[in-house]
Amino acid sequence: MRGRKTMNRELHLPLVVGRDDIVVSGLSAEHGSLKLSPAAQDLRIGDRLEIIPGYGDLTTVLHDHFHVLQAGRLVDIWPLAARGRLS
């Protein structure tokens, strides 16, 4: 899981979609931590989770593009033209 450079926690911690048994418990610069309830002990390395960031405008300058999802499917990729222009 990525850290606060990808998913800022300024307003609230990111949410794990469809998994009330898994909570984002913390974010360092590069990594995140998950707290698993007893019901989530089936989670294994390599399993994929959808995570909704708690806040994102401070992290967009760190990425080259947005992935646009609709109903869980990738429908577009938007380039971020201002990437790397913050000074």
Side-chain angles (χ1 to χ4, degrees):
M1 186 178 135
R2 304 206 183 213
R4 71 174 182 266
K5 288 183 178 180
T6 300
M7 298 180 285
N8 196 299
R9 62 180 177 194
E10 188 169 319
L11 298 180
H12 60 80
L13 285 170
L15 302 173
V16 181
V17 176
R19 296 291 305 248
D20 294 336
D21 54 345
I22 303 173
V23 175
V24 176
S25 58
L27 296 171
S28 66
E30 302 287 340
H31 299 91
S33 301
L34 300 174
K35 182 176 181 181
L36 307 180
S37 75
Q41 297 304 313
D42 63 333
L43 190 65
R44 299 286 178 248
I45 293 174
D47 288 351
R48 296 178 67 97
L49 298 171
E50 181 179 355
I51 299 175
I52 298 173
Y55 189 62
D57 75 335
L58 298 176
T59 65
T60 57
V61 298
L62 302 172
H63 302 282
D64 295 322
H65 50 268
F66 283 139
H67 287 89
V68 182
L69 302 174
Q70 186 174 35
R73 298 187 62 190
L74 179 67
V75 295
D76 205 354
I77 297 176
W78 296 347
L80 295 174
R83 166 71 159 108
R85 306 261 195 265
L86 185 63
S87 57

